Amino acid sequence: NARPPKRYCEGGAAGPTNTATMARWFRSEEMEYISLIVNEDAAHDCLADLGKMGVIQFTDLNPDLTPFQRRYVTYVKRCDELERKIRFFANACDSFNLSLQSAGDIGEFLETPTTASSGGGKSETGGALLESLEVELEGYEGQLKELNSYSEKLTTEYNEKVELQEVLEKARRFFMTDAPRLAVSELTTGGPGGDRTESLLEAEGGPSGRDMDMRFSSITGVVSTEEKVRFERMIFRATRGNCYVRFAPIKQPITDPETGNLVEKCVFIVFYKSLSIETKLKNICDAFGAHRYSLPDMDDAPAVDRMLTENAQELVDSRTVLLKNQDTRFRLCQMLAQHCERWTWIVLREKAIYHSLNMFKADVSGMLRGEGWVIASAVDACKDAVERAHANMSNMPSLVDHVPKPWPTPPTHFTTNKFTYGYQEFVNTYGIPRYREANPALFTAATFPFLFGVMYGDIGHGLFLFCAGLYLLWNEKANDKEKLGEMTAGLHAGRYMITMMGFFAVYAGLIYNDCFSLGLNLFGSKYIFEGQYDGEVEEGTEANLAGSYGDPSVVYPMGLDPAWKVASNELLFFNSFKMKISVIFGIIQMFSGTLLKGINAIYFGEKLDFLFEFLPMVAFAVSLFMYMVVLIVMKWSINWNSRMLSATCLEVGSEGWGSSDYEGVWAENCEGDYCTPWGYVCQDGDDTVAKCPLDFGGSGDGCQPPNLITTLINIALNPGEVDEPMYAGQATIQNYLLIIAFVSVPILLLAKPYFLSKQMESHGHGHGDDEEHDEDHGFGEIVIHQAIETIEFVLGMVSNTASYLRLWALSLAHSELATVFWEKAMLSTLNINWFATYIGFGIFAGVTCGVLLMMDVLECFLHALRLHWVEFQNKFFAADGIRFAPYSFKQVLTDATA
């Protein structure tokens, strides 16, 4: 485990002083643990200055106290109450769709003297500032509450008059139109039964008695449209169908006085003929929140008209008063919207001060003592801030001193800028680096966009991504001041990363010579097909170089020759090329991570880790995996045409004799009819070993290109045998490398636990049995931990190397998808007609945007993320550090506005 150097334990700084930006980013900022002793009267001003600096993280010296037992809990409660009032103001502004006016730049706000009054005034601090703010906000809250209460009352009265007006109009319309029609319908139905009923009624009292006895009572009112069906069903069930219910919708929605939401309502009228039913109907209306209204006799038309006229006049008056109240509230909320954010920032700043003061301990009356971690380079600035806060107060002592104790573990802090911030958060998402440990973000800033480009390599698609990054950079200042959503804020934070991803995608596309799956003949192909100038190239025709092998004039200036895009073995060539560069990039990155482990061990002075972990790891990696890279590069650099030609029998004096493909000197005097270029006389039955002049051994003797996978497998499974060697003594060298790899594993597994046990024995010599038991227990844990470390590294080197083949796989998938989209959507429609081409282009653009410019970008991003988090960082990165959480006003306000 990484431990701080002894110099830090003695109160000094760890490691050399770093001045360059990259050096500062390579290792976290040096930290010092200090103690502050300040006067209670100057404590507020002192912490106000320290909060602006944002360089200290306080330690809670009162862990045994509950939040309600703290010294400044009353001030925190006052701040909470002020926050509640400001939230109340913000909600009121939201009800009018008023956006809160920005308080400006946070840095400028912190440097400006603070006044509580919205109209300006004298600068205030501490308790006086809170008291002034409380008085002002209390007044605004009282005004707003009174206006809201009056508005709710006026809205209720206005709604009642609107509903009464609707009930009167709908009821009158019902009695004037529907009621006579229903009465006629009842009189004209029933046949003889109807006549019999008529005669009985007439017998009992004539027409007037009938009218009075059959007159129904009614209840009218208003109910929510959402409750209409349930309301009608409940009436039917409660009265067993002995009611007649009619509904009429109200066209204009009605405002709910409590929530302010618009509610759809409808007028209802219920006819019944029983006092018991009337009681049930009233209870149902109350249960559904329906408003009942008493109406005059609908037969008395003048009374109804008079009531309609009076209610309409009252409705106009009520609306006028309600609009006046709404205008007054709107003006008040307009004023509050201008100051809400500034007040919020003031309260949050004061709350942060008192929350930090609650961590201080009152050892002596009138004095407060605090402790915390501070960035080493800012210690002098902290001392100046404390002295400045006490300067205006005579005879008030203060002290800032180092605390020479090694606990707790120092927090990790990196100074970042707009470019490095995104990459640092990229690493921090996985885990925080240990204090002064090598920072993976420094290397991630270069390798992450590069590996993304390897997978996403395409000039056209990469250009889209690059332009998107440039657009984000162009709007950088505007977005910095805006309140962005979660996704937009993430894109803004990674704007430089997106730009670099697009740049490297274009670069890799130039190397692959791939633009929307098409090759670009930018510099002129160096291959020539027979008959290509006459337009008579046949299927299967081989392309030849325009010059001899190795001639600089026949080397394509950048990337791959476009001739490969039309070759029949295009896929085979690109697969081989991309697979090999994937392995090379992966092994180099993993080996770099292993080297960083050694750099960490040297920096922290951990000799055992360096000698018995780092060196065996390097030996194992170099002997097998870096050797693989050497073989790949060596195979690329050898002129296999010349080697294979040197073991080929040719007729002396024939057309092929004296070819420039052979790098050696052609034999001038050959005694036979068929000879090799170097002069060997060919005999029937000669194999390659006899004809090859290199004498490297194996079946090819060095004149045949090897299968690298077979060669690498045979290092372990068939040591000492190389079927197709590339250089002299290859089998012997591979045996030595295999021995080094085998020896490094037991050293890695056993050496460190052995020497640690010796150290434990020397420290524990002469102690009792209990301590010996603890040592045995600790040694067992060390052995288990080291065994896990060894297995993880050895197997990880193999599996992680295979994992880097995702670079090849995703690049292949991207290229093939682009080819399919181009051929199926564009090429298949070009020869039909213009309309089909138009439709085909739309399909091509749509699938390219959706699949390749969105889904594939995310896919390549996630795979590049995994390669860094798992394959690279696990070689040296513990990710168990503690993040530096400074006492910073800027951070508090930034989090509040996010």
Side-chain angles (χ1 to χ4, degrees), residues 775-788:
E775 291 174 4
D776 293 339
H777 183 68
F779 177 71
E781 291 182 350
I782 293 172
V783 172
I784 294 174
H785 173 79
Q786 194 64 26
I788 294 173

Side-chain angles (χ1 to χ4, degrees), residues 30 75 92 220 264 266 410 444 486 523 641 654 880:
E30 296 177 9
Y75 290 92
T220 54
E264 297 283 347
C266 60
T444 300
E486 183 178 359
F523 307 104
N641 288 337
S654 64
D880 57 356

Side-chain angles (χ1 to χ4, degrees), residues 222-439:
V222 176
V223 69
S224 172
T225 304
E226 293 182 357
E227 301 289 347
K228 173 185 171 183
V229 176
R230 294 177 58 242
F231 180 71
E232 185 177 11
R233 186 185 301 118
M234 182 59 71
I235 290 176
F236 180 82
R237 290 177 178 175
T239 62
R240 299 183 181 181
N242 292 314
C243 281
Y244 180 68
V245 186
R246 295 300 300 271
F247 292 94
I250 300 176
K251 296 181 179 179
Q252 192 71 21
I254 296 176
T255 304
D256 190 331
E258 294 182 359
T259 63
N261 298 328
L262 295 177
V263 180
E264 297 283 347
K265 292 191 175 183
C266 60
V267 176
F268 66 85
I269 181 168
V270 184
F271 294 95
Y272 60 90
K273 183 94 174 134
S274 170
L275 290 176
S276 60
I277 292 179
E278 180 179 3
T279 303
K280 292 180 181 179
L281 291 176
K282 289 180 178 179
N283 291 335
I284 292 172
C285 290
D286 294 339
F288 280 85
H291 298 157
R292 292 180 284 110
Y293 295 95
S294 300
L295 302 182
D297 189 354
M298 288 294 116
D299 294 334
D300 188 359
V304 174
D305 293 338
R306 186 169 55 255
M307 188 171 184
L308 277 169
T309 304
E310 292 175 355
N311 188 70
Q313 183 60 43
E314 292 177 0
L315 190 61
V316 172
D317 296 340
S318 179
R319 178 176 176 80
T320 302
V321 177
L322 183 61
L323 291 176
K324 182 65 177 177
N325 173 271
Q326 187 175 359
D327 182 65
T328 305
R329 285 194 302 133
F330 180 76
R331 293 178 182 275
L332 179 59
C333 288
Q334 270 187 321
M335 188 276 296
L336 293 175
Q338 297 176 3
H339 302 284
C340 268
E341 187 165 83
R342 187 178 68 87
W343 288 335
T344 301
W345 287 5
I346 293 173
V347 172
L348 288 174
R349 184 186 61 185
E350 294 298 313
K351 187 176 180 181
I353 291 174
Y354 291 115
H355 178 72
S356 298
L357 284 174
N358 277 333
M359 299 182 183
F360 282 52
K361 198 173 186 67
D363 295 327
V364 182
S365 178
M367 304 297 291
L368 296 176
R369 177 175 61 87
E371 294 181 0
W373 291 103
V374 65
I375 299 174
S377 59
V379 173
D380 293 336
C382 290
K383 291 181 180 179
D384 293 341
V386 174
E387 292 174 359
R388 189 165 55 247
H390 288 76
N392 299 329
M393 302 179 182
S394 58
N395 299 325
M396 286 197 176
S398 64
L399 178 65
V400 178
D401 196 12
H402 298 280
V403 179
K405 55 184 179 182
W407 70 270
T409 304
T412 302
H413 173 69
F414 295 97
T415 302
T416 58
N417 53 34
K418 293 185 292 185
F419 177 81
T420 59
Y421 171 78
Y423 294 102
Q424 191 61 57
E425 289 302 309
F426 183 96
V427 171
N428 290 346
T429 303
Y430 179 79
I432 306 299
R434 287 179 177 175
Y435 176 67
R436 303 294 289 169
E437 181 184 36
N439 184 16

Side-chain angles (χ1 to χ4, degrees), residues 593-609:
T594 307
L595 294 180
L596 288 175
K597 183 180 183 68
I599 293 174
N600 281 336
I602 294 173
Y603 181 83
F604 291 113
E606 296 170 333
K607 294 182 179 179
L608 292 180
D609 286 353

Side-chain angles (χ1 to χ4, degrees), residues 108-126:
E108 295 177 358
F109 167 79
L110 294 177
E111 297 300 328
T112 304
T114 305
T115 58
S117 174
S118 57
K122 185 180 178 181
S123 175
E124 298 171 306
T125 59

Side-chain angles (χ1 to χ4, degrees), residues 400-635:
V400 178
D401 196 12
H402 298 280
V403 179
K405 55 184 179 182
W407 70 270
T409 304
T412 302
H413 173 69
F414 295 97
T415 302
T416 58
N417 53 34
K418 293 185 292 185
F419 177 81
T420 59
Y421 171 78
Y423 294 102
Q424 191 61 57
E425 289 302 309
F426 183 96
V427 171
N428 290 346
T429 303
Y430 179 79
I432 306 299
R434 287 179 177 175
Y435 176 67
R436 303 294 289 169
E437 181 184 36
N439 184 16
L442 175 63
F443 308 93
T444 300
T447 58
F448 176 80
F450 176 75
L451 292 184
F452 174 88
V454 171
M455 290 184 281
Y456 195 72
D458 188 285
I459 300 172
H461 302 146
L463 199 58
F464 275 100
L465 190 61
F466 183 65
C467 291
L470 291 180
Y471 175 77
L472 291 173
L473 294 180
W474 179 264
N475 295 315
E476 178 181 302
K477 292 184 178 179
N479 290 334
D480 281 337
K481 299 177 181 179
E482 293 291 331
K483 292 183 179 179
L484 305 175
E486 183 178 359
M487 182 175 294
T488 310
L491 292 174
H492 176 65
R495 57 195 180 277
Y496 289 97
M497 184 185 297
I498 294 172
T499 306
M500 290 189 65
M501 287 160 54
F503 171 79
F504 280 107
V506 173
Y507 172 76
L510 289 171
I511 299 299
Y512 300 153
N513 202 346
D514 212 354
C515 181
F516 295 112
S517 78
L518 302 175
L520 301 179
N521 193 10
L522 299 176
F523 307 104
S525 176
K526 306 304 178 181
Y527 283 92
I528 299 176
F529 287 94
E530 183 180 352
Q532 73 177 37
Y533 297 112
D534 301 328
E536 298 177 355
V537 179
E538 298 180 358
E539 186 74 22
T541 302
E542 291 189 5
N544 298 306
L545 277 174
S548 60
Y549 183 89
D551 185 357
S553 63
V554 297
V555 177
Y556 199 71
M558 182 177 184
L560 299 176
D561 195 291
W564 287 107
K565 284 292 182 178
V566 296
S568 59
N569 59 342
E570 171 198 1
L571 189 60
L572 183 65
F573 170 77
F574 275 94
N575 275 348
S576 176
F577 170 72
K578 292 180 179 180
M579 180 171 63
K580 287 182 174 65
I581 63 170
S582 298
V583 172
I584 291 173
F585 291 152
I587 292 175
I588 290 176
Q589 188 176 34
M590 289 191 296
F591 188 69
S592 300
T594 307
L595 294 180
L596 288 175
K597 183 180 183 68
I599 293 174
N600 281 336
I602 294 173
Y603 181 83
F604 291 113
E606 296 170 333
K607 294 182 179 179
L608 292 180
D609 286 353
F610 181 80
L611 295 174
F612 304 117
E613 277 193 353
F614 169 68
L615 292 182
M617 287 179 177
V618 169
F620 183 84
V622 168
S623 60
L624 295 180
F625 297 91
M626 290 300 293
Y627 179 67
M628 184 194 310
V629 175
V630 172
L631 290 182
I632 292 174
V633 176
M634 183 178 290
K635 184 178 179 181

Side-chain angles (χ1 to χ4, degrees), residues 4 47 141 188 190 197 199 293 327 339 379 390 399 402 641 647 659 684 735 822 854 862:
L47 263 69
E141 184 187 29
T188 57
T197 305
S199 61
Y293 295 95
D327 182 65
H339 302 284
V379 173
H390 288 76
L399 178 65
H402 298 280
N641 288 337
S659 171
D684 292 339
N735 284 339
W822 171 259
M854 292 185 181
L862 293 176

